[in-house]
Amino acid sequence: MEFWNSMLTEKSWSILQEFRKKYNFILIGGWANYLWTKQQKSKDIDIAVDINELQKLKKENLNKNDNLKKYEIKSGEIDIDIYVAYFSKLTIPVEDLKLYISSLEGFNVVSAEALLILKQGAELDRGDSIKGEKDRIDIISLLFFSGINFREYRKILVKYKLNNYIENLIFLLRNFKDYNSVNLSPREFKLKKEKIMKELRSL
């Protein structure tokens, strides 16, 4: 089951490929989630950059969003959100994301553990909105399909004083019922849920 219309996700993916040829960035958000899990594709693009790369991005149609502490580029219905070191406020500081990078399909992608924490921060902000619902699906996908190292996850939480995120995650997992959105049968879903719940409770 696809969350977003496939025409939009294809367009978004093609913009992302073009950006990769021109700019250095760390991929976060929905597309990073997709590369880790091969589950839901993304409509919007989220990237983290340093100040030098931001200068290069100015040749695009770049707008500063002071309220949300990020820069934005719009391409039709696709939003490209750009988070900048020492300016943007993410759950993990943008300037620290370089400590948590993996290379996937030619992209610098934030690690699964750090991405889970960023996704949790986004979900807490967006709550019951459509994007909040997508965040929840992405979080469950990461838990089920990305091979999260829970010790590493906990280490990052401790570093940034986010210990309550473990309880939040247990609550979210307990209440998540939509096995279709993660392409599982009810039985597969139940078994994965029990296994992850056990790991989280042991942290």
Side-chain angles (χ1 to χ4, degrees), residues 8 11 15 19 45 61 73-80:
L8 285 177
K11 184 182 175 202
I15 292 169
F19 260 62
I45 294 168
N61 193 10
I73 297 167
K74 286 200 182 299
S75 178
E77 292 177 72
I78 312 298
D79 290 338
I80 303 156

Side-chain angles (χ1 to χ4, degrees), residues 10-28 31 43-49 53-63 71-76 78-83 105-108:
E10 290 314 307
K11 184 182 175 202
S12 178
W13 179 247
S14 129
I15 292 169
L16 184 56
Q17 297 283 5
E18 284 307 308
F19 260 62
R20 182 180 59 173
K21 292 172 193 164
K22 297 192 276 187
Y23 305 109
N24 281 322
F25 56 82
I26 300 171
L27 187 61
I28 59 176
W31 278 118
K43 174 173 81 75
D44 297 326
I45 294 168
D46 298 277
I47 60 177
V49 300
E53 215 55 36
L54 184 69
Q55 296 306 320
K56 294 185 201 168
L57 279 157
K58 285 187 173 163
K59 63 175 130 183
E60 307 285 343
N61 193 10
L62 191 67
N63 291 303
Y71 287 78
E72 298 164 334
I73 297 167
K74 286 200 182 299
S75 178
I78 312 298
D79 290 338
I80 303 156
D81 287 340
I82 298 142
Y83 298 88
E105 295 185 31
F107 287 96
N108 282 328

Side-chain angles (χ1 to χ4, degrees), residues 28-30 46 83 89-92 114-129 131-136 138-139 165 172:
I28 59 176
D46 298 277
Y83 298 88
K89 300 278 179 255
L90 291 177
T91 325
I92 297 170
L115 181 58
L116 176 56
I117 293 165
L118 293 176
K119 275 278 160 195
Q120 282 189 264
E123 193 274 334
L124 288 167
D125 277 349
R126 301 200 275 214
D128 289 332
S129 66
K131 287 189 173 182
E133 189 185 333
K134 172 69 164 48
D135 289 329
R136 283 186 284 284
D138 282 349
I139 287 168
Y165 271 38
L172 192 150

